[in-house]
Amino acid sequence: MRVVVAAATDIGQVRDGNEDTYVAEDPLFALADGMGGHRGGEVASRIAIETLERLFATGEGTLPELVREANRAVFERSMSDRAVSGMGTTLTVAVLEGDRVRLAHVGDSRAYLLRDGELRQVTEDHTLVQRMVTEGELTEVEAEVHPHRNILIRVVGVEPNVDVDELEMTPRPGDRLLLCSDGLHDMLSNQHIARILTAERDPDTAVRRLIADANAAGGVDNITAILLDFHNGGGAEARDPETETRTILQPGDPRPRTATAGTVGRGGRAEPTGPAEPGSPPRPSARPLAARIRWAKLATSIAIAVAVVVIAFVGLRMYLDTQWYVGVSDGRVAVFRGMPTEVAGFDLHHVVVETTIPAEDAQALALYRDLGEGITANDRAEADAIVERIREDLAANGAFPEPAP
Ligand code: MN
């Protein structure tokens, strides 16, 4: 089977940015239509596609597993980055595998198959209105114009896990498989899409016309289309229409990427029903275990050292509070609490009572010569008694008048 591919994305007529992202790299074809305020939609669709591409390249895991991993990647980013909290994206994937096509799908982007001139929607929209149609509460026609037709009930990235629709088909020569975002199928009826796919046999031209007609119909959303044409023969050829595909080449990345400029919230679409986390949980520490243990040990040592110093100070304080002495303060005899000394510039004492007795007079008596160094007492009463004795001795020596009452 030979496959010819055309793919393009367009910002549309209304939006400031493109929140659709796609990859068209044989054998992996996928599109994601992001949603979420600020830059959320753009980030969600990009993470989904990049995760898918990266995991697909490893060759491990089934397609639904890859989609669930993409879901987890978007969800984790949404949890850790407040700026994109609550973002989500659709994800529709087609993988060519021999003569088969495997599909995986979440959301309201669509895969259509044009076979023998008939267009059939292959995927089911994970929208509220589609569920109502399935349950018989709404007709297909009512659903197409329902004001809340864009409310999604299944999205990639808003919950830790997601159910993934899995489909498989065997293409026949002449089949056309179209993957598109709602910016296309919301603007154009299925009949309109079928008409273009039937009339325009060249895939580039067909994709270009799909996008041009969606824009002409209002272009209220970003428009993305990937068209796979199946022919007899081998391999896939990817062709991007030059005019419609907005691609940029990034340094070191030889592959064209979807251009995504600044972005706005998805006006026409309600936020997905998911856990709207108001805050972001802290990121798990990336520090190696050994480093964390070292820090824990250091922290413990510091805590112990601080405790020792505190206990020493408290103990010293309590001890000093039991110590009394009589000494000199501002030239006068005084009663002190503490010790008549200082340590590292800190006085270990304070004045409790300052008397009117001149220290000079007391020191003139041999008994009190060393008053400046402090005469220690066992308690306050003893200190007071020393002061009283000084007063008496001075009076007895006539050097000092009787104490004032
Ligand atoms: Mn959209």
Side-chain angles (χ1 to χ4, degrees):
M1 189 78 63
R2 191 167 62 88
V3 184
V4 181
V5 183
T9 188
D10 191 89
I11 195 169
Q13 301 296 301
V14 175
R15 297 299 169 86
D16 294 330
N18 195 339
E19 300 187 320
D20 289 0
T21 304
Y22 75 90
V23 55
E25 286 253 18
D26 183 29
L28 176 66
F29 304 90
L31 78 84
D33 176 356
M35 69 208 66
H38 191 45
R39 290 167 39 85
E42 178 192 330
V43 173
S45 65
R46 187 168 43 75
I47 291 175
I49 293 293
E50 285 178 357
T51 305
L52 184 71
E53 281 188 273
R54 184 166 46 78
L55 296 178
F56 184 80
T58 68
E60 284 171 26
T62 66
L63 192 51
E65 280 168 357
L66 302 191
V67 172
R68 284 195 285 272
E69 285 301 320
N71 175 80
R72 202 179 319 278
V74 175
F75 178 73
E76 281 173 3
R77 175 65 180 276
S78 167
M79 287 289 110
S80 65
D81 185 351
R82 188 184 289 271
V84 295
S85 171
M87 66 177 174
T89 182
T90 73
L91 187 54
T92 301
V93 190
V95 172
L96 307 184
E97 210 178 271
D99 60 349
R100 317 275 291 161
V101 178
R102 281 186 193 281
L103 291 151
H105 166 73
V106 175
D108 69 347
S109 298
R110 288 181 181 172
Y112 288 99
L113 177 67
L114 183 82
R115 176 174 286 175
D116 303 328
E118 296 232 340
L119 188 73
R120 186 168 65 87
Q121 186 182 332
V122 177
T123 52
E124 182 180 286
D125 295 348
H126 299 139
T127 57
L128 193 59
V129 292
Q130 183 54 49
R131 188 165 70 187
M132 289 163 80
V133 168
T134 306
E135 290 171 358
E137 297 169 33
L138 218 60
T139 67
E140 293 274 3
V141 176
E142 286 169 334
E144 270 189 39
V145 295
H146 198 282
H148 302 311
R149 64 185 176 279
N150 291 321
I151 294 176
L152 296 179
I153 55 173
R154 240 202 270 172
V155 189
V156 164
V158 300
E159 283 175 39
N161 295 298
V162 69
D163 286 336
V164 180
D165 285 357
E166 194 181 358
L167 302 122
E168 213 182 293
M169 58 166 285
T170 306
R172 298 184 201 153
D175 280 357
R176 300 190 113 174
L177 184 67
L178 172 70
L179 307 184
C180 67
S181 61
D182 65 344
L184 183 75
H185 65 70
D186 238 19
M187 291 291 107
L188 305 180
S189 67
N190 287 2
Q191 291 81 356
H192 194 138
I193 294 171
R195 215 160 43 236
I196 292 171
L197 291 182
T198 307
E200 303 289 354
R201 294 318 302 172
D202 176 68
D204 283 4
T205 312
V207 163
R208 244 174 250 173
R209 255 202 71 189
L210 287 168
I211 288 174
D213 283 17
N215 273 322
V220 301
D221 196 2
N222 309 137
I223 309 154
T224 302
I226 304 173
L227 183 60
L228 293 86
D229 278 357
F230 296 89
H231 302 281
N232 277 316
E237 299 169 25
R239 291 196 287 162
D240 289 331
E242 287 153 32
T243 52
E244 307 293 349
T245 309
R246 308 207 172 168
T247 55
I248 48 170
L249 278 173
Q250 294 178 341
D253 183 356
R255 206 163 41 72
R257 283 225 139 271
T258 307
T260 43
T263 185
V264 291
R266 240 156 95 152
R269 166 165 286 174
E271 289 294 316
T273 57
E277 294 292 328
S280 317
R283 274 167 212 266
S285 172
R287 241 188 267 150
L289 187 62
R292 270 184 280 153
I293 289 171
R294 254 192 331 266
W295 274 106
K297 281 183 173 171
L298 181 60
T300 305
S301 303
I302 290 170
I304 289 171
V306 167
V308 165
V309 168
V310 166
I311 289 166
F313 265 104
V314 169
L316 178 62
R317 182 80 248 167
M318 287 167 72
Y319 173 73
L320 289 175
D321 281 351
T322 65
Q323 303 301 303
W324 297 85
Y325 72 96
V326 176
V328 177
S329 172
D330 285 338
R332 307 212 172 249
V333 176
V335 173
F336 290 81
R337 202 167 191 180
M339 293 163 70
T341 183
E342 65 175 40
V343 171
F346 289 94
D347 285 341
L348 298 182
H349 51 252
H350 62 276
V351 174
V352 177
V353 177
E354 195 173 277
T355 69
T356 53
I357 308 165
E360 207 178 317
D361 292 352
Q363 285 172 306
L365 303 175
L367 193 59
Y368 308 114
R369 193 181 297 145
D370 299 329
L371 187 66
E373 290 162 28
I375 303 167
T376 58
N378 288 322
D379 52 30
R380 170 72 189 268
E382 199 179 315
D384 286 344
I386 293 170
V387 169
E388 205 47 43
R389 212 162 54 237
I390 292 172
R391 200 186 299 276
E392 286 166 9
D393 288 347
L394 282 175
N397 285 280
F400 189 69
E402 282 300 311

